[in-house]
Protein backbone atom coordinates (compact mmCIF):
# COMPACT_ATOMS: atom_id res chain seq x y z
CA UNK A 1 0.00 0.00 0.00
CA UNK A 2 1.08 3.59 -0.53
CA UNK A 3 1.75 5.53 2.66
CA UNK A 4 3.96 8.56 3.12
CA UNK A 5 6.46 7.91 5.88
CA UNK A 6 7.27 10.91 8.16
CA UNK A 7 10.17 12.97 6.80
CA UNK A 8 12.12 12.65 10.07
CA UNK A 9 12.49 8.89 9.62
CA UNK A 10 15.43 9.11 7.25
CA UNK A 11 17.83 6.25 6.66
CA UNK A 12 20.64 8.19 8.36
CA UNK A 13 18.49 8.90 11.42
CA UNK A 14 17.53 5.25 11.89
CA UNK A 15 21.05 3.96 11.17
CA UNK A 16 22.34 6.37 13.82
CA UNK A 17 19.98 4.85 16.38
CA UNK A 18 20.86 1.21 15.70
CA UNK A 19 24.58 2.03 15.75
CA UNK A 20 24.22 2.07 19.55
CA UNK A 21 23.62 -1.70 19.62
CA UNK A 22 26.81 -3.72 20.24
CA UNK A 23 27.23 -6.51 17.69
CA UNK A 24 30.34 -8.36 16.56
CA UNK A 25 28.70 -11.31 14.83
CA UNK A 26 27.47 -9.45 11.78
CA UNK A 27 23.97 -10.84 12.30
CA UNK A 28 21.03 -8.49 11.71
CA UNK A 29 17.26 -8.38 12.00
CA UNK A 30 15.29 -6.70 9.22
CA UNK A 31 13.13 -4.12 10.97
CA UNK A 32 10.04 -3.28 8.92
CA UNK A 33 7.35 -0.62 8.88
CA UNK A 34 4.30 -2.46 10.20
CA UNK A 35 1.74 -0.52 8.13
CA UNK A 36 3.32 -1.51 4.82
CA UNK A 37 5.81 -4.30 5.48
CA UNK A 38 8.57 -2.16 3.92
CA UNK A 39 12.12 -2.42 5.19
CA UNK A 40 13.19 0.30 7.66
CA UNK A 41 16.69 -0.60 8.82
CA UNK A 42 18.87 -3.58 9.72
CA UNK A 43 19.06 -4.06 13.49
CA UNK A 44 22.35 -5.55 14.75
CA UNK A 45 22.02 -8.67 16.90
CA UNK A 46 24.14 -8.99 20.04
CA UNK A 47 26.15 -12.09 20.94
CA UNK A 48 26.71 -13.28 24.53
CA UNK A 49 30.16 -11.69 24.37
CA UNK A 50 28.60 -8.39 23.25
CA UNK A 51 26.21 -8.53 26.20
CA UNK A 52 29.01 -9.19 28.68
CA UNK A 53 30.94 -6.21 27.30
CA UNK A 54 27.83 -4.04 27.57
CA UNK A 55 27.53 -4.97 31.24
CA UNK A 56 31.22 -4.29 31.83
CA UNK A 57 30.86 -0.83 30.30
CA UNK A 58 27.72 -0.16 32.30
CA UNK A 59 29.34 -1.26 35.58
CA UNK A 60 32.28 1.04 35.03
CA UNK A 61 29.98 3.99 34.33
CA UNK A 62 27.74 3.06 37.27
CA UNK A 63 30.49 3.43 39.85
CA UNK A 64 30.98 7.09 38.94
CA UNK A 65 27.23 7.68 38.59
CA UNK A 66 26.47 6.23 42.04
CA UNK A 67 29.10 8.57 43.53
CA UNK A 68 27.44 11.57 41.85
CA UNK A 69 25.32 13.61 44.29
CA UNK A 70 21.62 12.92 43.91
CA UNK A 71 20.78 16.54 43.05
CA UNK A 72 23.13 16.34 40.05
CA UNK A 73 21.64 13.04 38.95
CA UNK A 74 18.15 14.48 39.16
CA UNK A 75 19.22 17.59 37.21
CA UNK A 76 19.72 15.31 34.19
CA UNK A 77 16.07 14.30 34.34
CA UNK A 78 14.85 17.86 34.78
CA UNK A 79 16.51 18.67 31.46
CA UNK A 80 15.35 15.39 29.93
CA UNK A 81 11.72 16.14 30.74
CA UNK A 82 11.72 19.17 28.43
CA UNK A 83 13.64 17.34 25.70
CA UNK A 84 11.19 14.43 25.73
CA UNK A 85 8.16 16.72 25.56
CA UNK A 86 9.71 18.82 22.77
CA UNK A 87 10.40 15.67 20.72
CA UNK A 88 7.13 13.86 21.43
CA UNK A 89 5.96 13.88 17.81
CA UNK A 90 9.23 12.47 16.49
CA UNK A 91 8.99 9.74 19.12
CA UNK A 92 5.43 9.06 18.00
CA UNK A 93 6.61 8.71 14.39
CA UNK A 94 9.08 6.01 15.45
CA UNK A 95 6.53 4.22 17.61
CA UNK A 96 4.01 4.15 14.78
CA UNK A 97 6.50 2.93 12.19
CA UNK A 98 7.79 0.06 14.31
CA UNK A 99 4.57 -1.01 16.08
CA UNK A 100 1.71 0.02 13.77
CA UNK A 101 -0.34 1.67 16.50
CA UNK A 102 -2.50 4.67 15.69
CA UNK A 103 -1.06 8.14 16.29
CA UNK A 104 -3.29 9.01 19.23
CA UNK A 105 -1.92 6.02 21.13
CA UNK A 106 1.66 6.68 20.00
CA UNK A 107 1.60 10.24 21.35
CA UNK A 108 0.12 9.04 24.63
CA UNK A 109 2.96 6.53 24.93
CA UNK A 110 5.54 9.26 24.26
CA UNK A 111 4.18 11.12 27.31
CA UNK A 112 4.73 8.28 29.77
CA UNK A 113 8.46 8.84 30.49
CA UNK A 114 7.97 12.58 31.21
CA UNK A 115 5.15 11.69 33.61
CA UNK A 116 7.41 9.19 35.39
CA UNK A 117 10.27 11.71 35.50
CA UNK A 118 8.01 14.37 36.97
CA UNK A 119 6.74 12.05 39.70
CA UNK A 120 10.14 10.76 40.82
CA UNK A 121 11.79 14.17 40.60
CA UNK A 122 9.46 15.03 43.48
CA UNK A 123 9.71 11.76 45.40
CA UNK A 124 13.31 10.60 44.89
CA UNK A 125 14.99 13.08 47.30
CA UNK A 126 12.79 11.86 50.16
CA UNK A 127 12.91 8.18 49.21
CA UNK A 128 16.69 8.05 48.78
CA UNK A 129 17.63 10.23 51.76
CA UNK A 130 19.12 8.37 54.76
CA UNK A 131 16.45 7.79 57.43
CA UNK A 132 17.46 7.70 61.10
CA UNK A 133 15.57 5.35 63.42
CA UNK A 134 15.84 4.56 67.08
CA UNK A 135 18.07 1.73 68.23
CA UNK A 136 17.29 -0.96 70.81
CA UNK A 137 18.24 1.29 73.74
CA UNK A 138 16.90 4.88 73.75
CA UNK A 139 19.38 7.76 73.67
CA UNK A 140 22.54 5.65 73.45
CA UNK A 141 21.75 3.83 70.18
CA UNK A 142 20.33 4.57 66.79
CA UNK A 143 20.10 3.02 63.33
CA UNK A 144 20.20 4.64 59.90
CA UNK A 145 18.46 3.22 56.81
CA UNK A 146 20.70 3.90 53.80
CA UNK A 147 19.55 3.20 50.25
CA UNK A 148 22.27 1.85 47.96
CA UNK A 149 21.88 1.22 44.20
CA UNK A 150 21.82 -2.43 43.21
CA UNK A 151 24.33 -2.01 40.38
CA UNK A 152 23.27 -2.77 36.81
CA UNK A 153 19.58 -3.36 36.19
CA UNK A 154 18.55 -5.59 33.29
CA UNK A 155 15.29 -4.51 31.65
CA UNK A 156 13.47 -6.73 29.15
CA UNK A 157 10.82 -4.65 27.41
CA UNK A 158 7.89 -5.87 25.27
CA UNK A 159 6.85 -4.76 21.80
CA UNK A 160 3.43 -3.35 22.72
CA UNK A 161 4.77 -0.30 24.61
CA UNK A 162 8.48 -0.25 23.78
CA UNK A 163 9.13 3.39 24.65
CA UNK A 164 7.07 3.47 27.85
CA UNK A 165 8.44 0.24 29.29
CA UNK A 166 11.97 0.55 27.90
CA UNK A 167 12.51 4.11 29.14
CA UNK A 168 9.99 4.65 31.95
CA UNK A 169 11.09 1.51 33.82
CA UNK A 170 14.71 2.67 33.54
CA UNK A 171 14.15 6.19 34.92
CA UNK A 172 13.78 5.32 38.63
CA UNK A 173 16.61 2.80 38.35
CA UNK A 174 18.91 5.49 36.97
CA UNK A 175 17.79 8.08 39.50
CA UNK A 176 18.65 5.63 42.28
CA UNK A 177 22.24 5.42 41.00
CA UNK A 178 22.09 2.27 38.87
CA UNK A 179 23.18 1.60 35.32
CA UNK A 180 20.78 -0.11 32.89
CA UNK A 181 21.14 -2.72 30.17
CA UNK A 182 17.95 -2.85 28.11
CA UNK A 183 16.80 -5.60 25.78
CA UNK A 184 13.90 -4.31 23.66
CA UNK A 185 11.95 -6.56 21.34
CA UNK A 186 13.62 -6.72 17.93
CA UNK A 187 10.45 -5.40 16.28
CA UNK A 188 10.37 -2.24 18.38
CA UNK A 189 13.94 -1.21 19.21
CA UNK A 190 13.99 2.21 17.51
CA UNK A 191 11.91 4.24 19.97
CA UNK A 192 13.83 3.17 23.12
CA UNK A 193 17.12 3.82 21.32
CA UNK A 194 15.79 7.30 20.56
CA UNK A 195 14.89 7.71 24.24
CA UNK A 196 18.44 6.86 25.32
CA UNK A 197 19.82 9.39 22.85
CA UNK A 198 17.58 12.07 24.38
CA UNK A 199 18.69 11.12 27.91
CA UNK A 200 22.32 11.49 26.88
CA UNK A 201 21.47 14.83 25.28
CA UNK A 202 20.21 15.84 28.73
CA UNK A 203 23.52 14.86 30.31
CA UNK A 204 23.22 11.17 31.18
CA UNK A 205 26.79 9.79 31.05
CA UNK A 206 27.56 7.74 27.98
CA UNK A 207 27.89 4.04 28.71
CA UNK A 208 25.48 4.13 31.64
CA UNK A 209 22.45 3.04 29.59
CA UNK A 210 23.26 0.15 27.24
CA UNK A 211 21.05 -1.65 24.71
CA UNK A 212 21.47 -5.22 23.49
CA UNK A 213 19.29 -6.82 20.83
CA UNK A 214 18.38 -10.34 19.86
CA UNK A 215 15.79 -13.04 20.29
CA UNK A 216 14.86 -13.79 23.90
CA UNK A 217 16.38 -17.29 24.15
CA UNK A 218 19.64 -15.99 22.62
CA UNK A 219 19.97 -12.85 24.72
CA UNK A 220 18.00 -13.43 27.91
CA UNK A 221 20.20 -15.94 29.78
CA UNK A 222 23.38 -13.88 29.49
CA UNK A 223 21.52 -10.69 30.42
CA UNK A 224 20.00 -12.22 33.55
CA UNK A 225 23.28 -13.86 34.57
CA UNK A 226 25.05 -10.50 34.49
CA UNK A 227 22.32 -8.32 36.00
CA UNK A 228 21.97 -7.16 39.60
CA UNK A 229 18.17 -7.01 39.24
CA UNK A 230 15.71 -7.77 36.43
CA UNK A 231 12.59 -5.88 35.31
CA UNK A 232 10.44 -7.82 32.83
CA UNK A 233 7.13 -7.12 31.12
CA UNK A 234 5.65 -9.87 29.00
CA UNK A 235 3.96 -13.26 29.02
CA UNK A 236 3.45 -15.38 32.11
CA UNK A 237 5.29 -18.32 30.51
CA UNK A 238 8.40 -16.23 29.82
CA UNK A 239 8.10 -14.56 33.22
CA UNK A 240 8.34 -17.94 34.95
CA UNK A 241 11.56 -18.72 33.06
CA UNK A 242 13.06 -15.34 33.95
CA UNK A 243 11.98 -15.58 37.57
CA UNK A 244 13.49 -19.05 37.93
CA UNK A 245 16.83 -17.94 36.51
CA UNK A 246 16.89 -14.78 38.64
CA UNK A 247 16.14 -16.93 41.69
CA UNK A 248 19.07 -19.25 40.93
CA UNK A 249 21.28 -16.16 40.75
CA UNK A 250 19.82 -14.80 44.02
CA UNK A 251 18.83 -11.51 42.43
CA UNK A 252 15.47 -9.77 42.62
CA UNK A 253 13.00 -9.56 39.74
CA UNK A 254 9.88 -7.54 39.06
CA UNK A 255 7.58 -9.31 36.61
CA UNK A 256 4.48 -7.78 35.02
CA UNK A 257 2.85 -10.65 33.18
CA UNK A 258 -0.32 -11.59 31.32
CA UNK A 259 -3.96 -10.93 32.08
CA UNK A 260 -7.50 -11.88 31.11
CA UNK A 261 -8.96 -8.63 32.33
CA UNK A 262 -12.68 -8.43 33.23
CA UNK A 263 -15.14 -5.57 33.35
CA UNK A 264 -18.35 -5.63 35.38
CA UNK A 265 -21.06 -3.21 34.24
CA UNK A 266 -23.65 -2.48 36.93
CA UNK A 267 -27.33 -1.94 36.16
CA UNK A 268 -27.23 1.80 36.92
CA UNK A 269 -24.49 2.56 34.37
CA UNK A 270 -24.62 5.62 32.11
CA UNK A 271 -24.60 3.81 28.77
CA UNK A 272 -23.12 6.61 26.65
CA UNK A 273 -20.18 7.22 29.00
CA UNK A 274 -19.55 3.49 29.33
CA UNK A 275 -19.50 2.87 25.59
CA UNK A 276 -17.18 5.78 24.85
CA UNK A 277 -14.59 4.82 27.48
CA UNK A 278 -14.79 1.07 27.01
CA UNK A 279 -14.10 1.32 23.28
CA UNK A 280 -10.63 2.51 24.26
CA UNK A 281 -10.36 -0.01 27.09
CA UNK A 282 -10.96 -2.84 24.62
CA UNK A 283 -9.57 -1.59 21.31
CA UNK A 284 -6.90 0.92 22.39
CA UNK A 285 -3.52 0.02 20.87
CA UNK A 286 -5.50 -2.51 18.79
CA UNK A 287 -6.14 -4.53 21.94
CA UNK A 288 -2.42 -4.90 22.65
CA UNK A 289 -2.40 -3.32 26.13
CA UNK A 290 -1.49 -5.58 29.04
CA UNK A 291 -4.36 -4.05 31.04
CA UNK A 292 -6.98 -3.97 28.25
CA UNK A 293 -10.42 -5.51 28.79
CA UNK A 294 -11.10 -8.92 27.21
CA UNK A 295 -14.25 -9.96 29.16
CA UNK A 296 -17.32 -7.76 29.75
CA UNK A 297 -20.10 -8.82 32.12
CA UNK A 298 -23.42 -7.05 31.46
CA UNK A 299 -26.51 -7.13 33.72
CA UNK A 300 -29.31 -9.32 32.40
CA UNK A 301 -31.80 -6.46 32.81
CA UNK A 302 -29.91 -4.25 30.35
CA UNK A 303 -27.96 -6.78 28.32
CA UNK A 304 -29.66 -6.27 24.95
CA UNK A 305 -29.58 -2.46 25.20
CA UNK A 306 -25.91 -2.27 26.20
CA UNK A 307 -24.84 -4.93 23.71
CA UNK A 308 -26.53 -3.13 20.84
CA UNK A 309 -24.92 0.22 21.67
CA UNK A 310 -21.45 -1.23 22.14
CA UNK A 311 -21.51 -3.38 19.00
CA UNK A 312 -22.75 -0.46 16.90
CA UNK A 313 -19.96 1.78 18.20
CA UNK A 314 -17.29 -0.91 17.68
CA UNK A 315 -18.41 -1.47 14.09
CA UNK A 316 -18.11 2.28 13.40
CA UNK A 317 -14.50 2.66 14.56
CA UNK A 318 -12.10 4.24 12.05
CA UNK A 319 -9.47 1.56 11.36
CA UNK A 320 -6.63 2.32 8.95
CA UNK A 321 -2.96 3.21 8.50
CA UNK A 322 -2.06 6.89 8.82
CA UNK A 323 0.55 9.11 10.46
CA UNK A 324 -2.15 11.57 11.48
CA UNK A 325 -4.72 11.68 14.28
CA UNK A 326 -7.64 10.40 12.21
CA UNK A 327 -7.68 6.63 12.83
CA UNK A 328 -9.07 5.34 16.11
CA UNK A 329 -7.52 1.88 15.66
CA UNK A 330 -4.26 0.94 13.98
CA UNK A 331 -2.52 -2.28 13.03
CA UNK A 332 -1.47 -5.24 15.09
CA UNK A 333 2.30 -5.37 15.59
CA UNK A 334 2.99 -8.20 13.13
CA UNK A 335 1.47 -10.73 10.79
CA UNK A 336 2.25 -13.44 13.36
CA UNK A 337 0.22 -11.59 15.98
CA UNK A 338 -2.63 -11.16 13.51
CA UNK A 339 -2.67 -14.93 12.92
CA UNK A 340 -2.75 -15.54 16.70
CA UNK A 341 -5.78 -13.29 17.05
CA UNK A 342 -7.47 -14.94 14.07
CA UNK A 343 -6.86 -18.40 15.53
CA UNK A 344 -8.61 -17.38 18.77
CA UNK A 345 -11.64 -16.09 16.88
CA UNK A 346 -11.83 -19.12 14.59
CA UNK A 347 -11.55 -21.47 17.56
CA UNK A 348 -14.37 -19.66 19.36
CA UNK A 349 -16.67 -19.74 16.32
CA UNK A 350 -15.94 -23.42 15.71
CA UNK A 351 -17.00 -24.17 19.29
CA UNK A 352 -20.24 -22.19 19.14
CA UNK A 353 -19.47 -18.51 19.75
CA UNK A 354 -21.13 -15.81 17.65
CA UNK A 355 -19.33 -12.90 16.00
CA UNK A 356 -21.41 -9.76 16.60
CA UNK A 357 -19.07 -7.54 14.58
CA UNK A 358 -15.62 -7.88 13.02
CA UNK A 359 -13.78 -11.18 13.15
CA UNK A 360 -11.68 -10.83 9.99
CA UNK A 361 -8.19 -9.74 8.93
CA UNK A 362 -8.05 -6.63 6.75
CA UNK A 363 -5.19 -7.14 4.26
CA UNK A 364 -6.64 -4.28 2.20
CA UNK A 365 -5.56 -1.92 5.02
CA UNK A 366 -2.14 -3.47 5.68
CA UNK A 367 -0.50 -6.85 6.31
CA UNK A 368 -1.35 -7.07 10.04
CA UNK A 369 -4.73 -5.32 10.35
CA UNK A 370 -7.66 -7.05 12.07
CA UNK A 371 -11.20 -5.78 12.54
CA UNK A 372 -12.43 -4.73 16.00
CA UNK A 373 -14.29 -7.85 17.08
CA UNK A 374 -17.09 -8.48 19.58
CA UNK A 375 -18.02 -12.07 20.45
CA UNK A 376 -20.97 -13.58 22.28
CA UNK A 377 -21.32 -17.09 23.70
CA UNK A 378 -17.65 -17.52 24.61
CA UNK A 379 -17.01 -20.37 27.07
CA UNK A 380 -14.02 -21.60 29.03
CA UNK A 381 -13.36 -24.44 26.60
CA UNK A 382 -12.39 -21.84 23.98
CA UNK A 383 -8.92 -20.32 23.65
CA UNK A 384 -10.24 -16.79 24.00
CA UNK A 385 -12.31 -17.82 27.01
CA UNK A 386 -9.31 -18.42 29.27
CA UNK A 387 -6.17 -17.35 27.40
CA UNK A 388 -5.04 -13.78 26.76
CA UNK A 389 -5.82 -12.98 23.11
CA UNK A 390 -3.96 -9.66 23.10
CA UNK A 391 -5.81 -8.23 20.15
CA UNK A 392 -8.96 -6.25 19.26
CA UNK A 393 -11.32 -8.93 20.55
CA UNK A 394 -13.77 -8.86 23.47
CA UNK A 395 -16.41 -11.29 24.72
CA UNK A 396 -19.79 -10.16 26.14
CA UNK A 397 -21.38 -12.18 28.97
CA UNK A 398 -24.67 -11.98 30.88
CA UNK A 399 -25.02 -12.05 34.65
CA UNK A 400 -28.08 -12.23 36.91
CA UNK A 401 -26.62 -10.99 40.21
CA UNK A 402 -23.60 -8.96 41.26
CA UNK A 403 -22.34 -11.95 43.25
CA UNK A 404 -22.40 -14.03 40.06
CA UNK A 405 -20.55 -11.28 38.15
CA UNK A 406 -17.81 -11.08 40.77
CA UNK A 407 -17.44 -14.87 40.79
CA UNK A 408 -17.13 -14.93 36.99
CA UNK A 409 -14.65 -12.03 36.97
CA UNK A 410 -12.46 -13.85 39.50
CA UNK A 411 -12.67 -17.20 37.68
CA UNK A 412 -9.22 -16.85 36.10
CA UNK A 413 -5.60 -17.61 36.87
CA UNK A 414 -4.78 -13.97 36.16
CA UNK A 415 -5.17 -10.76 38.16
CA UNK A 416 -3.61 -7.77 36.40
CA UNK A 417 -6.45 -5.32 35.77
CA UNK A 418 -10.21 -5.03 36.09
CA UNK A 419 -12.95 -2.45 35.62
CA UNK A 420 -16.29 -1.72 37.29
CA UNK A 421 -18.89 0.70 35.91
CA UNK A 422 -21.85 2.25 37.71
CA UNK A 423 -23.44 5.59 38.61
CA UNK A 424 -23.46 4.86 42.36
CA UNK A 425 -19.73 5.27 43.11
CA UNK A 426 -19.94 3.81 46.61
CA UNK A 427 -21.61 0.69 45.27
CA UNK A 428 -19.18 0.41 42.36
CA UNK A 429 -16.19 0.73 44.67
CA UNK A 430 -17.60 -1.97 46.94
CA UNK A 431 -17.81 -4.32 43.95
CA UNK A 432 -14.30 -3.33 42.84
CA UNK A 433 -12.90 -4.25 46.25
CA UNK A 434 -14.11 -7.84 45.74
CA UNK A 435 -12.19 -8.38 42.50
CA UNK A 436 -8.89 -10.28 42.71
CA UNK A 437 -6.70 -7.93 40.70
CA UNK A 438 -3.67 -5.75 41.21
CA UNK A 439 -5.39 -2.84 39.46
CA UNK A 440 -9.11 -2.07 39.49
CA UNK A 441 -10.62 0.98 37.77
CA UNK A 442 -14.04 2.41 38.62
CA UNK A 443 -15.75 4.12 35.66
CA UNK A 444 -12.66 3.68 33.52
CA UNK A 445 -11.08 0.67 31.87
CA UNK A 446 -7.36 1.03 32.57
CA UNK A 447 -5.82 4.48 32.10
CA UNK A 448 -6.67 5.92 35.52
CA UNK A 449 -4.88 3.14 37.38
CA UNK A 450 -1.83 3.06 35.12
CA UNK A 451 -1.42 6.83 34.96
CA UNK A 452 -1.59 7.17 38.76
CA UNK A 453 2.19 7.24 39.12
CA UNK A 454 2.05 7.71 42.89
CA UNK A 455 0.47 4.29 43.41
CA UNK A 456 2.19 0.93 42.75
CA UNK A 457 0.82 -0.95 39.72
CA UNK A 458 1.33 -4.69 39.39
CA UNK A 459 -0.40 -8.03 39.09
CA UNK A 460 -1.53 -10.78 41.48
CA UNK A 461 -1.99 -14.52 40.95
CA UNK A 462 -0.34 -15.47 37.61
CA UNK A 463 -0.11 -11.82 36.48
CA UNK A 464 3.18 -11.08 38.13
CA UNK A 465 5.38 -10.27 41.08
CA UNK A 466 6.25 -6.76 42.27
CA UNK A 467 5.13 -3.45 40.80
CA UNK A 468 6.15 -0.36 38.89
CA UNK A 469 5.21 3.19 39.97
CA UNK A 470 4.74 4.49 43.49
CA UNK A 471 7.52 4.45 46.09
CA UNK A 472 7.95 0.73 45.46
CA UNK A 473 8.75 1.44 41.80
CA UNK A 474 11.97 3.22 42.82
CA UNK A 475 12.90 1.46 46.05
CA UNK A 476 12.91 -1.96 44.34
CA UNK A 477 16.06 -0.83 42.52
CA UNK A 478 17.91 -0.29 45.82
CA UNK A 479 19.43 -2.38 48.60
CA UNK A 480 19.08 -1.30 52.21
CA UNK A 481 22.09 -0.86 54.43
CA UNK A 482 21.32 -0.81 58.15
CA UNK A 483 24.01 1.36 59.78
CA UNK A 484 23.65 0.90 63.54
CA UNK A 485 25.53 2.90 66.21
CA UNK A 486 25.88 2.15 69.93
CA UNK A 487 27.30 5.16 71.79
CA UNK A 488 27.85 3.42 75.13
CA UNK A 489 28.27 -0.23 76.05
CA UNK A 490 24.97 -0.90 77.82
CA UNK A 491 23.99 -4.22 76.23
CA UNK A 492 24.50 -6.95 78.80
CA UNK A 493 25.04 -7.00 82.57
CA UNK A 494 27.05 -4.21 84.18
CA UNK A 495 30.29 -5.14 85.97
CA UNK A 496 29.38 -6.91 89.20
CA UNK A 497 25.68 -7.32 88.22
CA UNK A 498 24.40 -10.90 88.21
CA UNK A 499 22.39 -12.10 85.26
CA UNK A 500 19.14 -12.50 87.21
CA UNK A 501 19.19 -8.81 88.11
CA UNK A 502 20.08 -7.89 84.54
CA UNK A 503 17.11 -9.87 83.16
CA UNK A 504 14.70 -8.21 85.62
CA UNK A 505 16.05 -4.81 84.56
CA UNK A 506 15.71 -5.71 80.86
CA UNK A 507 12.11 -6.91 81.22
CA UNK A 508 11.19 -3.86 83.25
CA UNK A 509 12.74 -1.67 80.56
CA UNK A 510 10.66 -3.38 77.85
CA UNK A 511 7.47 -2.64 79.79
CA UNK A 512 8.51 0.96 80.36
CA UNK A 513 9.35 1.57 76.69
CA UNK A 514 5.96 0.14 75.62
CA UNK A 515 4.07 2.32 78.14
CA UNK A 516 5.97 5.46 77.12
CA UNK A 517 5.99 4.43 73.42
CA UNK A 518 9.73 4.94 73.18
CA UNK A 519 9.89 1.65 71.23
Amino acid sequence: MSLQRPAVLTDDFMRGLVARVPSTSGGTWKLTEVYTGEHLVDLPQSTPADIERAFATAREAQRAWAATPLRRRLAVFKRAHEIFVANALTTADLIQAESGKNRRMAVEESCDPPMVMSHYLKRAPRLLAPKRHGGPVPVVSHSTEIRQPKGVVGIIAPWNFPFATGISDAIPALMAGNAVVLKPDNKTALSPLHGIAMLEQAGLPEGLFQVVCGEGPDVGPTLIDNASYVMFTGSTATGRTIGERAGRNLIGACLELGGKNPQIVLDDVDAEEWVSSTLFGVFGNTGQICMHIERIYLPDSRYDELKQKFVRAAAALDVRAAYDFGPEVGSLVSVDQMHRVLSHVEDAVAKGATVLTGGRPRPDLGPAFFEPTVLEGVTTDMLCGVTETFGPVVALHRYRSVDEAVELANDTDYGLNASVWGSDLERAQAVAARIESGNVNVNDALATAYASKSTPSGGVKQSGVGARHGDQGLLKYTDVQNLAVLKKQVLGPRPGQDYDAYVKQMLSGLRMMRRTRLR
Side-chain angles (χ1 to χ4, degrees):
M1 63 177 292
S2 175
L3 183 69
Q4 185 65 42
R5 190 182 302 164
V8 69
L9 301 186
T10 65
D11 291 344
D12 286 345
F13 177 62
M14 291 184 287
R15 281 196 294 264
L17 294 176
V18 301
R20 293 175 168 272
V21 180
S23 177
T24 55
S25 69
T28 59
W29 168 283
K30 290 193 178 301
L31 209 159
T32 59
E33 182 182 23
V34 177
Y35 288 148
T36 63
E38 294 177 0
H39 178 252
L40 286 173
V41 69
D42 289 336
L43 179 69
Q45 302 290 277
S46 305
T47 65
D50 294 327
I51 298 165
E52 289 175 352
R53 280 191 292 273
F55 271 94
T57 300
R59 288 194 191 282
E60 182 67 28
Q62 189 269 334
R63 283 190 281 271
W65 179 245
T68 302
L70 178 60
R71 59 180 176 77
R72 287 177 53 195
R73 297 204 301 262
L74 296 183
V76 171
F77 294 94
K78 290 178 182 177
R79 294 188 292 269
H81 185 280
E82 175 54 34
I83 293 170
F84 273 60
V85 172
N87 287 275
L89 297 183
T90 296
T91 302
D93 290 337
L94 283 167
I95 292 170
Q96 282 195 270
E98 65 187 2
S99 73
K101 64 183 64 179
N102 71 320
R103 191 162 190 78
R104 303 180 193 186
M105 190 78 255
V107 171
E108 287 190 21
E109 180 177 356
S110 77
C111 294
D112 192 73
M115 291 176 67
V116 171
M117 289 180 207
S118 185
H119 171 69
Y120 286 117
L121 281 168
K122 291 186 296 183
R123 289 295 294 161
R126 181 175 298 180
L127 293 176
L128 297 175
K131 295 177 177 60
R132 182 160 163 163
H133 306 287
V137 183
V139 181
V140 298
S141 67
H142 68 267
S143 178
T144 304
E145 175 186 338
I146 300 173
R147 292 286 171 172
Q148 306 280 15
K150 285 187 172 291
V152 183
V153 173
I155 297 178
I156 303 174
W159 46 257
N160 62 324
F161 284 93
F163 189 69
T165 53
I167 301 301
S168 293
D169 285 341
I171 288 165
L174 293 164
M175 286 182 173
N178 297 284
V180 170
V181 176
L182 167 68
K183 191 208 89 65
D185 189 281
N186 273 341
K187 296 186 288 295
T188 52
L190 293 178
S191 61
L193 285 165
H194 176 55
I196 296 168
M198 289 192 287
L199 287 173
E200 291 182 356
Q201 182 184 344
L204 193 75
E206 290 188 16
L208 190 69
F209 197 154
Q210 298 283 309
V211 177
V212 295
C213 290
E215 291 296 289
D218 300 329
V219 175
T222 306
L223 185 144
I224 297 166
D225 289 347
N226 283 274
S228 310
Y229 186 90
V230 176
M231 175 72 208
F232 170 74
T233 306
S235 72
T236 297
T238 303
R240 285 197 184 97
T241 300
I242 291 170
E244 288 170 3
R245 195 169 190 112
R248 289 199 299 270
N249 293 339
L250 295 179
I251 62 170
C254 180
L255 312 170
E256 191 204 84
L257 308 178
K260 192 67 182 172
N261 306 312
Q263 180 185 84
I264 296 175
V265 182
L266 300 177
D267 56 11
D268 64 344
V269 71
D270 181 308
E272 301 307 320
E273 288 189 359
W274 167 70
V275 168
S276 177
S277 176
T278 301
L279 285 175
F280 173 79
V282 171
F283 302 117
N285 201 33
T286 321
Q288 300 166 122
I289 302 176
C290 300
M291 295 169 67
H292 93 120
I293 300 300
E294 295 202 0
R295 300 179 287 146
I296 298 178
Y297 296 95
L298 300 174
D300 190 65
S301 61
R302 298 185 64 186
Y303 183 85
D304 292 335
E305 169 211 350
L306 296 173
K307 176 182 79 171
Q308 182 183 40
K309 289 182 177 180
F310 186 76
V311 170
R312 185 188 304 121
L317 287 168
D318 183 354
V319 185
R320 55 191 168 89
Y323 286 97
D324 59 45
F325 291 107
E328 296 166 287
V329 180
S331 173
L332 288 162
V333 74
S334 67
V335 173
D336 286 345
Q337 185 65 14
M338 183 270 290
H339 285 307
R340 172 188 168 86
V341 172
L342 177 60
S343 72
H344 277 218
V345 174
E346 289 178 337
D347 173 78
V349 171
K351 293 174 180 174
T354 301
V355 176
L356 300 177
T357 188
R360 299 176 302 155
R362 290 295 302 274
D364 55 312
L365 300 176
F369 277 82
F370 197 90
E371 292 177 334
T373 301
V374 183
L375 302 176
E376 187 177 49
V378 171
T379 59
T380 55
D381 66 334
M382 302 172 185
L383 283 173
C384 69
V386 293
T387 304
E388 185 176 37
T389 301
F390 219 58
V393 179
V394 68
L396 303 184
H397 304 269
R398 252 181 227 271
Y399 72 84
R400 291 180 296 276
S401 70
V402 171
D403 287 344
E404 180 190 14
V406 171
E407 183 179 352
L408 290 168
N410 289 336
D411 185 20
T412 176
D413 293 333
Y414 298 107
L416 181 59
N417 183 53
S419 171
V420 177
W421 274 83
S423 296
D424 183 336
L425 288 180
E426 186 173 341
R427 179 188 181 214
Q429 289 178 78
V431 173
R434 298 172 61 190
I435 299 179
E436 299 163 355
S437 180
N439 301 276
V440 187
N441 296 263
V442 172
N443 290 347
D444 188 29
L446 57 93
T448 301
Y450 189 83
S452 297
K453 304 303 184 186
S454 298
T455 307
S457 174
V460 299
K461 299 197 282 191
Q462 298 299 304
S463 288
V465 177
R468 55 167 58 91
H469 304 160
D471 293 354
Q472 184 178 339
L474 186 149
L475 294 178
K476 71 186 180 188
Y477 294 126
T478 66
D479 289 321
V480 181
Q481 182 185 66
N482 179 356
L483 180 62
V485 174
L486 183 64
K487 299 177 183 178
K488 182 177 176 60
Q489 296 302 311
V490 295
L491 300 179
R494 297 297 84 213
Q497 184 183 31
D498 65 45
Y499 215 89
D500 284 342
Y502 168 68
V503 168
K504 290 178 182 177
Q505 176 187 317
M506 179 175 62
L507 295 176
S508 176
L510 289 174
R511 292 189 183 98
M512 182 273 293
M513 287 190 288
R514 175 83 286 273
R515 284 196 302 269
T516 60
R517 298 185 178 182
L518 284 172
R519 293 287 178 272

